Amino acid sequence: MIALLKQLAARLRFALSHRTLQRIVALPTDPSHISVCHRGRIVVLRRRCPHQGGPLDEGYIEGDDLVCPWHGCRFSLVSPGPARPYVPTLPKNSR
């Protein structure tokens, strides 16, 4: 357990020192959570999207949000709060 924590700490220090600021890392000590290195901060989130269990570690980062690969729910990486659902919008002239 201690060896795994040391390995995780080394990976995160590497990510911070090499400016890989948008990286999603599965936590080897806790498979139910992931860590995201974003803007020099480490954010820990649940691995599964609460909507339908989408794998957030397979998602992508857009701006300051982690986006679920299944349905587009967005999770802020800079301020805590509930997920924001993806709501497609139509251009004004298409109505």
Side-chain angles (χ1 to χ4, degrees), residues 5-92:
L5 289 173
K6 287 181 179 180
Q7 181 184 14
L8 175 62
R11 284 184 191 175
L12 294 176
R13 277 195 302 274
F14 176 83
L16 288 172
S17 66
H18 287 81
R19 301 282 187 206
T20 54
L21 298 180
Q22 297 188 359
R23 184 170 179 136
I24 303 169
V25 178
L27 295 175
T29 57
D30 184 357
S32 66
H33 287 80
I34 58 171
S35 68
V36 180
C37 185
H38 180 71
R39 292 188 178 197
R41 294 180 52 225
I42 298 169
V43 181
V44 177
L45 300 165
R46 291 193 184 274
R47 184 170 179 247
R48 296 286 177 183
C49 177
H51 180 233
Q52 287 189 354
L56 293 178
D57 53 335
E58 296 176 16
Y60 59 94
I61 297 171
E62 186 176 274
D64 288 329
D65 294 334
L66 175 62
V67 182
C68 175
W70 284 7
H71 299 100
C73 280
R74 302 173 79 82
F75 301 85
S76 176
L77 297 173
V78 294
S79 62
R84 296 182 315 278
Y86 170 70
V87 179
T89 57
L90 297 172
K92 289 182 181 179

